[in-house]
Amino acid sequence: MPAVRRNRTAERELLARYRDSQPSRTDGVHMSDLVGCTRKAWLSANSGITLADDDEFTLIVMLGEGHHGLIGGKTDANKTQVINGISLTPDEIVSEEGLQVIVEYKTTRKSANKTIYDLGNYVDQVGGYCSLLGIKRARLHVFHLVGSYRPPTP
């Protein structure tokens, strides 16, 4: 009977290939850093130390990038704007009824039973984009990858 074995060399090579293929972050602090981890953003901006993402986080980012490729809003360094030292990369800016609208796509492993208040960092990021870009409308799409579970179910 065939056996399934973990191949750590292949894992490391895959993660290295993915990391090498990603565009470098722009100068300044990214909006997602401000709403996600302000301590990490402060450390990077004030000490020049950039903390490398661990393998688990990189895999989560890969999953999100894959979904973005399917639903829209794929990461593109050319979309980045820097305003007041803050890097902004909204997924899309579209025109609806003569108005500009920021469209942001998020994927999460959080339960769909969460409220918008449990997703505050997403709302804060979109709000930051709106504020700095002077756009008054936004649409946030949240894709709950694992459904609407309730503890103790994952």
Side-chain angles (χ1 to χ4, degrees), residues 18-40:
Y18 175 78
R19 288 179 177 128
D20 290 345
S21 73
Q22 295 306 292
S24 358
R25 295 292 295 248
T26 55
D27 291 337
V29 175
H30 197 279
M31 179 64 70
S32 59
D33 294 331
L34 291 175
V35 300
C37 186
T38 52
R39 286 184 301 259
K40 183 177 175 182

Side-chain angles (χ1 to χ4, degrees), residues 101-114:
V101 179
I102 292 174
V103 181
E104 189 71 14
Y105 301 96
K106 296 294 184 186
T107 58
T108 182
R109 294 176 296 162
K110 293 178 182 178
S111 172
N113 286 317
K114 302 289 184 186

Side-chain angles (χ1 to χ4, degrees), residues 19 45 47 53-54 60 72 82 84 86 88 105 112 116 131 143 147:
R19 288 179 177 128
S47 70
D53 294 331
D54 65 16
I60 291 169
V82 180
N84 297 331
I86 300 172
L88 314 171
Y105 301 96
I116 194 69
S131 177
F143 296 88

Side-chain angles (χ1 to χ4, degrees), residues 14-15 18-19 22 53-68 75 106-110 121-122 143 145:
L14 172 68
L15 290 167
Y18 175 78
R19 288 179 177 128
Q22 295 306 292
D53 294 331
D54 65 16
D55 291 349
E56 182 179 350
F57 182 76
T58 299
L59 289 169
I60 291 169
V61 171
M62 287 173 69
L63 179 66
E65 283 290 318
H67 285 95
H68 270 78
T75 299
K106 296 294 184 186
T107 58
T108 182
R109 294 176 296 162
K110 293 178 182 178
N121 56 326
Y122 299 158
F143 296 88
L145 300 176

Side-chain angles (χ1 to χ4, degrees), residues 4 11 17 23 28 30 36 42 59 68-69 85 89-91 110 119 131 151:
V4 176
E11 285 178 23
R17 252 192 343 263
H30 197 279
W42 183 91
L59 289 169
H68 270 78
T89 313
D91 289 331
K110 293 178 182 178
L119 304 170
S131 177

Side-chain angles (χ1 to χ4, degrees), residues 90 92-104 123 125-131 133-140:
E92 297 175 349
I93 299 176
V94 299
S95 180
E96 292 179 357
E97 301 171 5
L99 298 172
Q100 285 189 307
V101 179
I102 292 174
V103 181
E104 189 71 14
V123 175
Q125 183 175 353
V126 171
Y129 289 162
C130 286
S131 177
L133 292 171
I135 296 175
K136 297 183 187 317
R137 292 180 71 186
R139 196 167 53 248
L140 173 63

